[in-house]
Amino acid sequence: MIKFQGVHKWFKKLHVLNDVNLHVSPGEVLVICGPSGSGKSTLIRTINKLEPIDKGTLIIDGMDLSDPKTDINKLRAEIGFVFQQFNLYPHLSVLKNITLAPIKIRGLSRKDAEDVAMSLLERVGLADKVHSYPTQLSGGQQQRVAIARALAMKPKIMLFDEPTSALDPEMIGEVLLVMQNLASSGMTMIVVTHEMGFASEVSHRVAFMDYGIILEEAKPDEFFKNPKHDRAKQFLKEILSPMH
Amino acid sequence: MFKYQFDWTVVTSGQYAEWLLSGIKVTFELSLLSIVLSFFLGLLIAVMRMSHIAPIRWLAHGYLEFFRNTPLLVQIFFWYFGSYKILPKAFNDWLNNTNFEFAAAVIALTIYTSAFIAEDIRSGVRSIPKEQMEAARSSGFSYLRSMQYIILPQAIRLTIPPLINQFLNLTKNSSLAMTIGVMELTYQARQVESYTFKGFEAFTAATLIYVVISLIITGLVTLYSKKILSPMKAH
């Protein structure tokens, strides 16, 4: 479904992605973790070309991202992206946030798009917020609307870039729950997160990154019980017991 | 010292009041038409100014610098006295059969004001967080569609106060159209003055009418932005 082969990227002199090789199969849930500045956000943003790569190949759903014939807008429509800062459209109601792309890009009728939006809002527990505006919602609610907005396009892949990092602690659970349900429905997901609970319970595989390199890839059990790389050991120690 | 006899009836009744009324009508038509056209032209120039394609950007930039930095009166004279020399004959014939003074004034006011409006809209766009564009692009919208549905609707809401300023400037600038014989409000006030020698009354009336017209335009734009554009709460 997603295939990185020898992918490199530089920001000026900074080598942010260094020879990344990564395969994600349909229905798989991959968590990417690592210290801040390790390149994990850049990695996930290359998948829908929010960040172009400088070297290597990146093939998404059979389409080569470097091929000039690849219609990037068409590909992006198949990939849901959930941002750390939600990025809902503040001038549109919750309903319009969700129906805009299905109507304008997929060509759905307003009625059909609204039906889809309502069932998604029920799924994320926000059916009563349909006519609210984003700034009237809490962070957790905004993020759930953002997930519904991405799902309304019926994507083949969902990408989450630190979806709970901007949330107050009491709102993290509601968002993770929505993501967990999505994972059990068989969605292909890549999640950049520090939520190790989510990684160990929901994901199928964990990739640990630092210095733009994927240092370790393992099943969650293995990764948490027996991390191989020193940087991974230290990262887990810091994130699981930050006081020591 | 001579004694000046005030006579307000020259501007409140009779033929002279009718002149002023018809002047008000022309000022309104001139201003509203130019406001609408300059808004859309300004929008187009603003989008071109932000294009990823360098020549389009340069073209828009050149347009801005050219029209912002020439006096409006010169531009009005250019369109009225100069442009027919470069336009096709058929077009000139058509223009001569219509209200050419009015058309030249609309063209000059529209082009001049659009340059300022474009810059206001552009600064509105720049104040929209770049993540909004990223969110739109990652849904599969092209750059232009993202602008159309997500960025510009937000930017224009933020641009309403400076836009009102530009619209008011345009309305006041429309008085320059009298120099090419457009029979708008200032032209008519001048007429009243020259027929009656009641300059104080005529121009006091014109001044007050401009204030009222400006307030009406401010009111219309504010009403439109409140009622028609859906509410947007702060980020």
Side-chain angles (χ1 to χ4, degrees), chain B residues 1-199:
Chain B
M1 289 295 283
F2 72 93
K3 260 194 138 179
Y4 185 80
Q5 293 286 321
F6 287 105
D7 179 9
W8 292 98
T9 57
V10 299
V11 293
T12 56
S13 60
Q15 186 196 3
Y16 303 131
E18 273 169 36
W19 287 359
L20 286 181
L21 268 181
S22 84
I24 292 172
K25 185 167 161 281
V26 174
T27 289
F28 249 113
E29 287 169 353
L30 185 60
S31 302
L32 289 182
L33 185 59
S34 305
I35 281 173
V36 171
L37 293 177
S38 66
F39 174 74
F40 286 107
L41 187 59
L43 200 57
L44 176 70
I45 302 296
V47 172
M48 287 171 65
R49 182 85 174 80
M50 293 177 289
S51 169
H52 294 303
I53 303 161
I56 292 182
R57 212 163 54 229
W58 296 335
L59 192 69
H61 196 181
Y63 177 97
L64 285 175
E65 295 303 347
F66 188 81
F67 289 108
R68 276 197 309 183
N69 294 317
T70 26
L72 176 57
L73 191 55
V74 174
Q75 292 184 32
I76 289 175
F77 285 163
F78 173 83
W79 291 108
Y80 187 62
F81 296 113
S83 69
Y84 75 94
K85 301 214 163 83
I86 53 167
L87 293 174
K89 187 177 177 307
F91 193 65
N92 277 325
D93 291 345
W94 176 77
L95 274 178
N96 284 326
N97 291 326
T98 59
N99 191 341
F100 183 39
E101 299 83 24
F102 187 83
V106 167
I107 292 170
L109 282 168
T110 295
I111 289 179
Y112 180 76
T113 312
S114 72
F116 294 91
I117 287 178
E119 282 300 83
D120 286 341
I121 291 177
R122 189 167 75 102
S123 67
V125 167
R126 285 158 65 116
S127 63
I128 305 297
K130 71 172 187 353
E131 288 80 8
Q132 288 288 311
M133 182 54 102
E134 285 188 348
R137 294 307 302 271
S138 69
S139 293
F141 285 112
S142 66
Y143 174 78
L144 285 177
R145 292 273 171 257
S146 303
M147 275 288 178
Q148 180 185 355
Y149 297 126
I150 288 122
I151 306 301
L152 287 175
Q154 296 182 52
I156 287 165
R157 281 170 177 78
L158 295 177
T159 313
I160 299 266
L163 279 183
I164 288 178
N165 268 340
Q166 300 303 350
F167 295 161
L168 295 183
N169 280 340
L170 186 153
T171 305
K172 290 176 285 178
N173 284 339
S174 73
S175 60
L176 289 175
M178 73 167 289
T179 57
I180 54 170
V182 178
M183 292 154 88
E184 47 69 68
L185 179 56
T186 308
Y187 181 99
Q188 298 291 14
R190 181 99 175 76
Q191 287 278 96
V192 173
E193 190 269 338
S194 41
Y195 277 75
T196 62
F197 302 108
K198 295 290 176 193

Side-chain angles (χ1 to χ4, degrees), chain A residues 112-146:
Chain A
D112 289 350
E114 288 180 353
D115 288 347
V116 171
M118 280 313 297
S119 71
L120 285 168
L121 281 173
E122 269 161 35
R123 201 162 138 193
V124 300
L126 290 171
D128 56 328
K129 300 294 183 191
V130 58
H131 296 300
S132 301
Y133 281 81
T135 45
Q136 298 167 326
L137 305 178
S138 71
Q141 291 170 333
Q142 289 192 52
Q143 194 60 298
R144 285 185 280 156
V145 171

Side-chain angles (χ1 to χ4, degrees), chain A residues 45 48 73 76-77 79 81 83 87-91 100-101 104-105 133 135-136 149 153, chain B residues 131-132 134-142 149-150 153-154 157 230-235:
Chain A
R45 287 162 61 89
N48 69 353
N73 294 328
R76 280 175 175 152
I79 304 174
F81 199 102
F83 297 86
N87 298 345
L88 294 177
Y89 309 133
H91 63 302
L100 183 68
K104 302 295 183 190
I105 295 173
Y133 281 81
T135 45
Q136 298 167 326
R149 176 175 71 178
M153 291 295 280
Chain B
E131 288 80 8
Q132 288 288 311
E134 285 188 348
R137 294 307 302 271
S138 69
S139 293
F141 285 112
S142 66
Y149 297 126
I150 288 122
Q154 296 182 52
R157 281 170 177 78
S230 63
M232 179 175 72
K233 313 296 185 292
H235 286 286

Side-chain angles (χ1 to χ4, degrees), chain A residues 80-83 86-88 97-98 117 120-121 123-124 126 139-155 158-161 163-164 167 171-183 187 189 198:
Chain A
F81 199 102
V82 176
F83 297 86
F86 337 126
N87 298 345
L88 294 177
N97 260 279
I98 300 175
L120 285 168
L121 281 173
R123 201 162 138 193
V124 300
L126 290 171
Q141 291 170 333
Q142 289 192 52
Q143 194 60 298
R144 285 185 280 156
V145 171
I147 294 172
R149 176 175 71 178
L151 290 175
M153 291 295 280
K154 303 211 185 324
M158 283 287 285
L159 306 175
F160 295 83
D161 186 7
T164 57
L167 297 178
M171 292 171 182
I172 292 176
E174 64 194 51
V175 172
L176 290 180
L177 191 66
V178 168
M179 290 166 61
Q180 183 171 17
N181 290 337
L182 189 59
M187 176 65 76
M189 291 164 64
F198 178 85

Side-chain angles (χ1 to χ4, degrees), chain A:
Chain A
M1 195 70 154
I2 301 170
K3 202 187 271 181
F4 286 79
Q5 285 170 326
V7 168
H8 291 260
K9 180 172 179 65
W10 288 266
F11 285 138
K12 301 270 168 65
K13 278 187 171 171
L14 191 66
H15 205 164
V16 282
L17 293 180
N18 188 345
D19 193 26
V20 170
N21 293 283
L22 191 66
H23 292 216
V24 180
S25 330
E28 193 177 11
V29 178
L30 171 74
V31 160
I32 303 174
C33 62
S36 65
S38 59
K40 53 196 192 307
S41 279
T42 308
L43 179 71
I44 200 170
R45 287 162 61 89
T46 59
I47 297 171
N48 69 353
K49 218 176 180 180
L50 282 179
E51 301 286 354
I53 61 173
D54 294 323
K55 202 177 142 196
T57 29
L58 178 45
I59 293 169
I60 312 293
D61 193 25
M63 290 198 264
D64 185 345
L65 275 193
S66 321
D67 187 343
K69 273 179 284 188
T70 297
D71 182 346
I72 186 64
N73 294 328
K74 210 170 156 191
L75 182 63
R76 280 175 175 152
E78 308 297 333
I79 304 174
F81 199 102
V82 176
F83 297 86
Q84 182 177 349
Q85 296 292 346
F86 337 126
N87 298 345
L88 294 177
Y89 309 133
H91 63 302
L92 300 177
S93 67
V94 164
L95 184 66
K96 291 237 165 94
N97 260 279
I98 300 175
T99 57
L100 183 68
I103 292 172
K104 302 295 183 190
I105 295 173
R106 291 273 191 251
L108 259 61
S109 71
R110 179 164 299 279
K111 166 95 178 50
D112 289 350
E114 288 180 353
D115 288 347
V116 171
M118 280 313 297
S119 71
L120 285 168
L121 281 173
E122 269 161 35
R123 201 162 138 193
V124 300
L126 290 171
D128 56 328
K129 300 294 183 191
V130 58
H131 296 300
S132 301
Y133 281 81
T135 45
Q136 298 167 326
L137 305 178
S138 71
Q141 291 170 333
Q142 289 192 52
Q143 194 60 298
R144 285 185 280 156
V145 171
I147 294 172
R149 176 175 71 178
L151 290 175
M153 291 295 280
K154 303 211 185 324
K156 294 177 180 162
I157 301 167
M158 283 287 285
L159 306 175
F160 295 83
D161 186 7
E162 305 209 28
T164 57
S165 299
L167 297 178
D168 291 335
E170 75 272 20
M171 292 171 182
I172 292 176
E174 64 194 51
V175 172
L176 290 180
L177 191 66
V178 168
M179 290 166 61
Q180 183 171 17
N181 290 337
L182 189 59
S184 53
S185 75
M187 176 65 76
T188 309
M189 291 164 64
I190 298 186
V191 184
V192 171
T193 186
H194 293 298
E195 292 299 325
M196 293 301 118
F198 178 85
S200 66
E201 282 162 40
V202 181
S203 81
H204 303 132
R205 198 151 47 103
V206 178
F208 175 77
M209 272 187 94
D210 204 359
Y211 315 115
I213 306 166
I214 295 185
L215 292 175
E216 186 161 345
E217 251 188 276
K219 294 240 187 296
D221 288 357
E222 250 173 79
F223 178 72
F224 288 107
K225 284 193 191 124
N226 188 21
K228 301 218 168 34
H229 202 279
D230 284 347
R231 285 294 293 135
K233 283 179 194 163
Q234 191 182 347
F235 173 76
L236 283 173
K237 207 169 117 195
E238 279 165 8
I239 205 162
L240 295 174
S241 52
M243 300 289 280
H244 297 95

